Amino acid sequence: MTADHYAALGLAANASLAEIKKAFRQKASFYHPDRNDAPDAAQRFAQVQKAYEVLSDDEARQAYDDNRRRNLLDDPLQTAQEIWQAYSARILSSSSTSSPSSPL
């Protein structure tokens, strides 16, 4: 996945259609090549248009969100290590509290 459409519009993933439309209008106006002299304005404007195209269509947004959820693991090895460490810590803490203490 190359582009984050929510980031292009400056929105959270749970944004409503009204929020998407408002953000699109603001960003499109700001990045429009006729109004913005920045060298990357045309590219940013195209990103904003694509983001709106996907997020404003219910089916396209659902497909995008599903794909986005599958790709949330930026570093699968790090995520696996974090899960394992949390699991190990929970097991170790529960076994130390439930084991009978030995008399001295």
Side-chain angles (χ1 to χ4, degrees):
M1 190 165 65
T2 58
D4 183 349
H5 296 316
Y6 292 106
L9 294 176
L11 296 170
N14 61 350
S16 69
L17 184 57
E19 292 169 323
I20 291 169
K21 287 180 183 181
K22 181 179 178 182
F24 167 71
R25 288 186 194 114
Q26 289 173 344
K27 297 282 184 176
S29 176
F30 181 78
Y31 289 117
H32 196 283
D34 292 343
R35 293 181 162 196
N36 192 325
D37 295 333
D40 67 340
Q43 180 185 7
R44 299 286 298 264
F45 181 73
Q47 289 174 341
V48 167
Q49 282 184 310
K50 180 64 177 169
Y52 179 72
E53 180 182 311
V54 171
L55 298 179
S56 65
D57 178 271
D58 288 337
E59 290 180 25
R61 183 178 182 181
Q62 184 63 47
Y64 173 75
D65 286 344
D66 290 346
N67 189 42
R68 191 168 181 258
R69 277 191 274 292
R70 282 191 293 272
N71 292 321
L72 278 179
L73 298 177
D74 294 328
D75 185 353
L77 180 58
Q78 179 185 353
T79 303
Q81 289 172 337
E82 290 170 1
I83 292 170
W84 177 251
Q85 289 170 353
Y87 174 76
S88 299
R90 193 175 77 222
I91 295 298
L92 291 175
S93 69
S94 68
S95 66
S96 65
T97 58
S98 64
S99 64
S101 58
S102 57
L104 295 175

